[in-house]
Amino acid sequence: AESGMPTMVSVSDDSGPRSQKIVAVPQVSGAVLRRTDFPDNVAVIDFRKAQEAGITATIAGADSPSPTNADVAASIVGSKVALSTETINDGTSAVAAPAAVEPERWAVSPGGAALWKAVPETRLTSSETVRQVDAILESVWKKADVEPTDQASPEELLRRVYLDLAGRTPGVSEVRSFLNDTSPDRYEALVNRLLNSHDHASHLATVWRSFLIPDGVDLTAFGGIEAFDRWLAERFESHDSYDQVVRSLLLADGRLSRSGPLLFYSAARLDPDRLAAKTARVFLGMRLECAQCHDHPFEPWKQTDFWGYAAFFARISRPQGTLENVSTVMRVSDVDRGEVMLPETKNVVAPKFLNSKESLEEVEGANRREQLTNWMLAPDNPYFARATANRVWGQMFGRGIVDPIDDFGVQNSPVSQELLDVLAGSFLQSGFNLQELFRTVALSRAYRLSSGAQTIDEDRPAVFAQMNIKTLTAEQVYDCISVATMLGNTEGGPTGLFDLVRYGNSSREAFLQQFRTPAGQPTVYLGGIPQALTLMNGQLIENATGLSSSGLLKSLEAPFFSNEQRLEVLYLATLSRPPRANEWELLRDYVPENATGNELQEALADVLWALLNSAEFTMNH
């Protein structure tokens, strides 16, 4: 394995090898694993030190293991044990037995999320929760032996929080207003304004739709995805609790032509297995589809677990047999018939909750979807609040406390189980208030750290001691260009912020079709030549930098601006900061103070084009 850890353990006795066990090793460095995954009270002993201390240790690759090593080797398979990363001269590595200690309060079960219990109750205020989050991460950093980066500059933090909460960069007046504000709580006040803005609701709707309805699903016959985005945005803007939003989605009924939440069912073609896989990922953080055809190869989920969960969606009205396409005249409604069977068998699988050993007993007057929804949103459900907290954290940091964010399991232990549970407990206490969850994350010390550092340390971003650099989505790129260059925006919405036109915008939709990149990790750039050409030569950039069409360039024609002020405005509009000293040297040469007329306008247009095509503009750092 790339981590340098053993991938196979041989269990032997005096008669020779009895069995070999494969050890699943995550593909990260041994140092990161030791720092982040193993409790402090688990012994990590190299072979030479073990001999000196009189402790028997298993040697990976040794020719003649002693009989007493069998118990030690077996413990590797049956429990969580620290593996030493020290390498002996002959190339072998030491594996020590775990110390006999009481399990920690926050210790992760060897069975992974499948054995998680209900989220621990919390009675913390909002400010106390933020302080608790900070304290937990301080402990994580100390354990990982990493020093966090410095705090982000006001300009860096301003741009970041706008992109994460509103899906766009701030306008020039918004930048200046924040930087000129001397109040000690200016950042907290900004977070509150953004969370109550229309742009936050519509941006959050786009983000949530992106994993509820994947790209490539053609919903044109149902009015397109805009109706789904509008429905979500209205729910978020009305401050409905998140459990209410999820309940409305899962229990939606009516003709598919009504669109809105029913588009979720249209995209899944009403298939119980598709609905099961999608809802488990989004709302429970589980990739159950790996158990669809056979028992999960790495997790404790059985094939019957997947189909028992899918059975909750088996009684939605639909034609018999395979359904390749859905029609607008079809209905989503609950009926009293419909079952699922194990693939290639006639074995009917009864509905069963994921953490239950018993099949569901049918409750009179309650359909299966309703029973599943009640279980999912119950306060003692071990997954829903954690999955939501992890998803919000992942949106803000570019990686989850459990990463990937939709894959809770044995292979993906949390960076800190305590951190995940504190956030989930606070989310429960707030009555599933999504805004409060975003506020907690945004106000944490970790979120305010810089993405830059004097020295490179790959461990820092992994434990949130340094902010990850995230790529902008296609929607964010368009909206940032639109705000920066004043294309089709009006300033002065109900919160004093920009109000973007995100729906019914044909120019925006055309750009998204060209620029949209494959789905993936937000910290990995997956665009290519088509996206680069769209930015360099596309119609949007032409309108944004054209002398006759750019609202920004037209505004700079005012005679009271000096050329230095004009250049500063271009930087504030695009990068949310003034030029640096080395940039001023280049700018003054390219746009001298005595430049006027067409010469000045063309030079400013060139600078604007370069800024819009810079890596800094298309990244969230």
Side-chain angles (χ1 to χ4, degrees):
E2 293 181 10
S3 63
M5 288 186 166
T7 56
M8 180 174 291
V9 175
S10 178
V11 181
S12 310
D13 57 20
D14 290 337
S15 62
R18 291 187 300 175
S19 64
Q20 290 184 328
K21 300 287 187 181
I22 299 297
V23 179
V25 180
Q27 297 302 305
V28 297
S29 69
V32 172
L33 283 177
R34 185 172 63 220
R35 292 171 182 169
T36 61
D37 282 8
F38 298 122
D40 294 330
N41 51 17
V42 173
V44 180
I45 309 170
D46 72 38
F47 178 61
R48 295 186 189 282
K49 292 179 181 178
Q51 284 185 318
E52 294 172 2
I55 299 174
T56 302
T58 298
I59 306 301
D63 293 331
S64 303
S66 63
T68 56
N69 287 340
D71 294 335
V72 180
S75 72
I76 298 172
V77 179
S79 66
K80 187 175 184 179
V81 62
L83 305 181
S84 171
T85 57
E86 299 294 331
T87 303
I88 302 175
N89 292 335
D90 61 3
T92 59
S93 301
V95 179
V101 294
E102 292 297 320
E104 294 182 350
R105 176 188 177 193
W106 304 105
V108 179
S109 165
L115 299 181
W116 279 357
K117 303 301 182 183
V119 175
E121 293 185 5
T122 179
R123 291 292 183 268
L124 301 176
T125 64
S126 297
S127 57
E128 288 172 341
T129 301
V130 174
R131 288 196 292 270
Q132 182 76 354
V133 167
D134 292 345
I136 292 169
L137 284 174
E138 286 276 3
S139 177
V140 169
W141 299 336
K142 182 178 180 180
K143 183 177 179 181
D145 192 25
V146 299
E147 286 292 329
T149 59
D150 295 334
Q151 291 287 292
S153 67
E155 295 88 349
E156 181 183 1
L157 184 59
L158 174 70
R159 187 175 191 272
R160 178 191 302 164
V161 75
Y162 263 89
L163 283 168
D164 287 336
L165 294 185
R168 64 170 178 86
T169 47
V172 175
S173 62
E174 292 170 329
V175 175
R176 285 180 168 157
S177 175
F178 180 78
L179 297 181
N180 292 333
D181 187 350
T182 58
S183 58
D185 63 343
R186 63 174 180 173
Y187 176 69
E188 289 79 0
L190 172 64
V191 169
N192 288 332
R193 286 201 304 273
L194 290 175
L195 287 173
N196 285 288
S197 68
H198 173 74
D199 284 346
H200 171 67
S202 57
H203 169 61
L204 192 58
T206 300
V207 174
W208 248 246
R209 183 258 300 154
S210 69
F211 49 76
L212 284 167
I213 301 179
D215 289 339
V217 177
D218 185 7
L219 296 175
T220 305
F222 303 91
I225 60 174
E226 181 183 323
F228 191 75
D229 285 354
R230 284 183 183 274
W231 175 78
L232 273 177
E234 288 170 0
R235 300 305 301 269
F236 290 141
E237 194 164 17
S238 65
H239 304 312
D240 288 351
S241 63
Y242 186 54
D243 62 323
Q244 290 176 323
V245 176
V246 174
R247 184 178 295 276
S248 296
L249 177 72
L250 294 181
L251 299 182
D253 60 9
R255 293 201 180 277
L256 295 179
S257 57
R258 288 175 52 190
S259 299
L262 295 174
L263 284 173
F264 173 69
Y265 286 92
S266 302
R269 300 206 297 256
L270 303 181
D271 287 342
D273 52 339
R274 292 174 186 267
L275 292 167
K278 178 61 67 176
T279 56
R281 275 200 181 210
V282 174
F283 303 125
L284 304 176
M286 303 289 187
R287 296 189 180 184
L288 291 182
E289 61 267 32
C290 291
Q292 185 170 352
C293 301
H294 46 71
D295 292 348
H296 200 298
F298 306 117
E299 305 292 339
W301 302 118
K302 304 295 184 183
Q303 187 183 19
T304 51
D305 292 325
F306 174 85
W307 288 103
Y309 181 77
F312 286 101
F313 297 101
R315 293 189 171 180
I316 298 175
S317 177
R318 65 192 302 276
Q320 298 294 323
T322 302
L323 187 63
E324 295 298 332
N325 294 291
V326 291
S327 167
T328 56
V329 300
M330 293 176 60
R331 294 185 61 88
V332 173
S333 60
D334 298 288
V335 295
D336 58 1
R337 56 176 175 76
E339 305 292 349
V340 296
M341 294 179 287
L342 290 180
E344 301 180 3
T345 75
K346 294 184 178 180
N347 299 330
V348 173
V349 182
K352 182 170 74 72
F353 300 132
L354 291 181
N355 60 349
S356 173
K357 295 181 180 180
E358 304 295 333
S359 297
L360 179 73
E361 293 184 7
E362 300 292 344
V363 177
E364 186 176 352
N367 60 60
R368 289 186 180 182
R369 280 197 298 163
E370 185 178 357
Q371 290 176 277
L372 175 66
T373 303
N374 291 339
W375 166 80
M376 183 182 292
L377 304 180
D380 61 351
N381 184 291
Y383 313 121
F384 179 74
R386 288 185 175 105
T388 308
N390 192 54
R391 187 170 289 280
V392 168
W393 188 275
Q395 179 181 334
M396 300 286 277
F397 280 88
R399 63 180 296 134
I401 302 169
V402 175
D403 202 67
I405 58 175
D406 57 0
D407 195 8
F408 288 3
V410 176
Q411 302 289 316
N412 302 313
S413 296
V415 170
S416 168
Q417 184 75 34
E418 184 177 7
L419 174 61
L420 183 62
D421 283 358
V422 164
L423 289 170
S426 175
F427 184 48
L428 278 174
Q429 181 184 337
S430 70
F432 298 103
N433 188 324
L434 208 55
Q435 275 191 321
E436 186 61 31
L437 183 55
F438 273 104
R439 181 181 292 107
T440 297
V441 178
L443 296 182
S444 67
R445 179 192 173 192
Y447 183 76
R448 304 194 212 190
L449 294 176
S450 176
S451 63
Q454 296 295 323
T455 59
I456 298 176
D457 186 343
E458 66 178 12
D459 292 351
R460 275 197 302 258
V463 293
F464 313 112
Q466 178 178 345
M467 177 54 70
N468 286 287
I469 297 176
K470 298 168 284 188
T471 61
L472 301 188
T473 64
E475 290 84 358
Q476 285 177 313
V477 171
Y478 180 92
D479 292 340
C480 290
I481 293 174
S482 189
V483 168
T485 61
M486 302 167 64
L487 286 176
N489 290 281
T490 56
E491 198 170 2
T495 58
L497 305 173
F498 274 91
D499 275 327
L500 283 169
V501 181
R502 282 175 166 152
Y503 306 129
N505 187 335
S506 58
S507 174
R508 186 175 189 263
E509 190 55 40
F511 176 84
L512 297 182
Q513 292 300 324
Q514 291 178 300
F515 195 85
R516 188 167 280 130
T517 60
Q521 294 290 339
T523 56
V524 179
Y525 180 71
L526 296 173
I529 292 176
Q531 289 75 32
L533 291 176
T534 298
L535 277 181
M536 289 189 292
N537 305 310
Q539 188 64 45
L540 177 65
I541 295 295
E542 182 178 338
N543 292 338
T545 60
L547 298 180
S548 61
S549 56
S550 173
L552 178 61
L553 292 178
K554 286 181 179 180
S555 71
L556 294 178
E557 293 176 356
F560 51 78
F561 282 120
S562 68
N563 284 353
E564 282 202 0
Q565 288 174 326
R566 291 182 173 102
L567 290 169
E568 184 179 60
V569 167
L570 293 182
Y571 267 74
L572 293 177
T574 54
L575 305 184
S576 307
R577 64 170 178 83
R580 301 187 180 100
N582 61 332
E583 293 169 330
W584 271 124
E585 294 180 11
L586 296 173
L587 291 169
R588 288 175 180 135
D589 287 340
Y590 194 75
V591 188
E593 189 60 39
N594 59 0
T596 59
N598 286 338
E599 177 189 3
L600 172 61
Q601 289 298 308
E602 290 177 1
L604 292 176
D606 289 344
V607 172
L608 178 57
W609 183 92
L611 290 171
L612 294 176
N613 281 279
S614 67
E616 185 175 353
F617 180 77
T618 55
M619 297 289 178
N620 180 357
H621 52 86

